[in-house]
Amino acid sequence: MKAIDFKDKKVLIRVDFNVPLDKDGNITDDTRMRRALPTLTHILEAGASLIIMSHLGRPLKKLNEDGSINVKKFTLRHLVRHLTDLLGTQVQFADDCIGDEALLKSSRLQPGEVLLLENTRFHAGETKGDRDLAEKLAGLGEIYVNDAFGTAHRAHSSTATIADFFTPEHKTAGLLIEKEIENAQKAMYSPQRPFTAIIGGAKVSDKIKLIDRLIEKANIIIIGGGMAYTFFKAMDGQIGNSLVELDYLDLARDLIKKAKDNNVELLLPVDSKCASSFSNDAERDTCSSMEIKDGWMGLDIGPEAEKTFAAAIQGSGTILWNGPLGVFEFSNFAEGTFSIARAVAQATESGAFSLIGGGDSVSAINKAGLSEKVSFVSTGGGAMLEYLEGKELPGIKALG
Ligand code: AMP
């Protein structure tokens, strides 16, 4: 991006400003806005004007009862004041991302000025990658920058199709996307060894491709969260009412074998914090993960597993973490995930490179107050997962 001369240009940029809002429209976490700032300020300081596009939520999936769009809830107007504060310059707003007002306001922009467009997902064509919408959006600027890593795995009008309307010299990825890819590549292609991957979350079915690929790249794979119980079941363990995907038992066995064949150490939590029901206030007990009582379920890793996992993490040169190790939303079952967050932070302090690969592990590291103590926290849940799985991201491919 830094090779492009932005002076006096109108730059159309797609960012991921899909921030959480409270019921009054106040931003409750502005991380996504702050992560786009280096790109936005670079372009403004280079003497350009900015036309900013983003989506916010899924407005067409949550229509008003009369079938109209709930503009009040999903408008990007909620972001104008805070963006003005962050950029230190008054941000203008257009009530539709295409049409006369957007055209007029963008044509009148002077260098240093900023126009924020209304939610791109107010148009049904956006998520379908519609060409007509993409062409109209493209008509607003002279250079297209995509810095929305969080939606880079979507072939939408403003993230992918739009790039067809710009020549290679007039389109680029922004600094955030560059950083996301650089960090993912560092972990996957040139890891300082040992390379430890920590994979948690609810379902093994969501993470199979990732685990399969990591078996070819990592030295140690730590498996936690709900998905661990499918592995225990596959080893004939008694898992009570723990989460399990019975269709995936063979696959779990295959992964165990493949890891062994590749000399990859696959670590499962030997013990679990078990609960008598799926509730924070359930009766609790620590148990062997292979011997969970009928009616009980594993909701977090146990103290032995915490110790084993922490030791593996602390001896690592590279750490990739995707997915919580337990139901960390329940305070009584969050300790396992937090202990992993602390171990990753400590290993980073000792010189390891650590990448927090998006989604719930990002909320976990934030909740633990340790996001500044790891090397890189990804802004893209699904996008990072797909990139790590080895898939091509349409939003990046479109840039040529
Ligand atoms: P994912 O989106 O696949 O990364 O999964 C994250 C979700 O997995 C979180 O909402 C956790 O509460 C849930 N989870 C983690 N461990 C368990 C577990 N042992 N049992 C049930 N759900 C879990």
Side-chain angles (χ1 to χ4, degrees):
M1 187 189 96
K2 290 199 166 151
I4 291 188
D5 181 11
F6 289 110
K7 194 160 167 37
D8 296 329
K9 293 286 193 298
K10 289 189 199 309
V11 178
L12 182 62
I13 180 165
R14 175 58 156 99
V15 291
D16 177 9
F17 279 177
N18 183 26
V19 290
L21 301 170
D22 67 16
K23 61 175 184 1
D24 300 318
N26 299 305
I27 300 163
T28 54
D29 181 349
D30 71 347
T31 307
R32 287 187 170 138
M33 294 174 78
R34 281 187 289 104
R35 297 292 291 273
L37 281 183
T39 306
L40 301 179
T41 49
H42 174 86
I43 294 170
L44 287 174
E45 281 168 10
S49 56
L50 272 177
I51 302 143
I52 304 178
M53 312 178 271
S54 178
H55 75 286
L56 179 65
R58 295 179 170 182
L60 297 185
K61 295 238 158 84
K62 290 179 183 161
L63 294 170
N64 289 322
E65 273 175 19
D66 64 2
S68 61
I69 291 175
N70 188 342
V71 176
K72 220 170 144 189
K73 181 167 179 197
F74 293 104
T75 178
L76 276 159
R77 242 182 216 287
H78 293 307
L79 279 59
V80 170
R81 208 180 57 206
H82 192 53
L83 187 59
T84 296
D85 291 346
L86 289 173
L87 291 173
T89 185
Q90 181 59 50
V91 171
Q92 303 172 41
F93 188 76
D95 281 313
D96 190 350
C97 63
I98 52 171
D100 292 343
E101 187 197 1
L103 265 172
L104 188 68
K105 286 189 170 166
S106 57
S107 69
R108 286 188 178 159
L109 284 180
Q110 296 300 311
E113 292 186 342
V114 182
L115 172 66
L116 178 65
L117 302 176
E118 185 54 289
N119 198 336
T120 51
R121 289 198 191 164
F122 282 3
H123 291 267
E126 163 71 333
T127 52
K128 298 185 181 112
D130 181 68
R131 284 193 78 76
D132 186 46
L133 175 62
E135 188 170 13
K136 287 185 178 137
L137 287 167
L140 300 174
E142 297 159 275
I143 296 177
Y144 171 66
V145 178
N146 186 4
D147 212 19
F149 184 71
T151 45
H153 58 318
R154 307 281 184 221
H156 293 174
S157 290
S158 69
T159 63
T161 323
I162 191 172
D164 289 350
F165 299 95
F166 293 87
T167 61
E169 310 78 57
H170 292 89
K171 59 185 171 187
T172 180
L175 300 175
L176 176 62
I177 285 197
E178 281 178 9
K179 259 215 154 89
E180 294 270 4
I181 298 299
E182 197 181 290
N183 282 291
Q185 287 184 340
K186 194 167 163 180
M188 295 301 270
Y189 299 113
S190 52
Q192 200 174 285
R193 297 204 179 262
F195 172 16
T196 298
I198 309 156
I199 309 299
K203 294 180 174 171
V204 70
S205 52
D206 291 340
K207 308 277 166 89
I208 295 163
K209 284 201 198 92
L210 178 61
I211 298 172
D212 197 47
R213 190 150 193 260
L214 283 167
I215 288 177
E216 283 153 24
K217 307 228 174 256
N219 304 98
I220 301 171
I221 300 179
I222 290 173
I223 304 237
M227 73 169 76
Y229 301 99
T230 297
F231 285 86
F232 288 118
K233 181 82 180 166
M235 296 185 292
D236 295 327
Q238 288 164 22
I239 60 165
N241 274 356
S242 303
L243 209 62
V244 66
E245 288 173 283
L246 294 172
D247 294 348
Y248 285 85
L249 298 182
D250 283 341
L251 215 127
R253 285 184 205 107
D254 290 348
L255 289 173
I256 292 170
K257 183 174 180 303
K258 191 172 169 191
K260 216 178 198 165
D261 294 345
N262 281 262
N263 263 330
V264 173
E265 205 177 336
L266 193 69
L267 296 178
L268 288 158
V270 285
D271 57 349
S272 294
K273 273 180 215 123
C274 294
S276 55
S277 65
F278 189 78
S279 151
N280 190 40
D281 305 320
E283 232 184 294
R284 275 171 284 156
D285 196 5
T286 299
C287 51
S288 154
S289 302
M290 290 287 279
E291 290 165 17
I292 297 175
K293 282 181 283 191
D294 285 351
W296 286 62
M297 60 195 79
L299 294 188
D300 195 7
I301 58 172
E304 272 310 309
E306 279 181 24
K307 269 191 242 161
T308 318
F309 291 179
I313 291 164
Q314 270 150 24
S316 301
T318 302
I319 301 154
L320 167 69
W321 181 15
N322 181 296
L325 285 287
V327 185
F328 75 110
E329 299 92 334
F330 292 165
S331 57
N332 287 330
F333 301 96
E335 183 45 32
T337 299
F338 289 161
S339 75
I340 294 305
R342 287 193 297 272
V344 174
Q346 269 170 29
T348 311
E349 201 175 359
S350 310
F353 169 74
S354 54
L355 168 65
I356 313 303
D360 276 338
S361 22
V362 174
S363 347
I365 200 97
N366 285 338
K367 250 182 157 175
L370 293 169
S371 51
E372 301 295 320
K373 305 263 180 198
V374 294
S375 309
F376 190 77
V377 179
S378 175
T379 56
M384 183 49 93
L385 186 62
E386 290 194 17
Y387 188 80
L388 295 171
E389 285 171 356
K391 286 194 193 138
E392 210 166 26
L393 304 182
I396 294 175
K397 190 178 172 216
L399 298 169

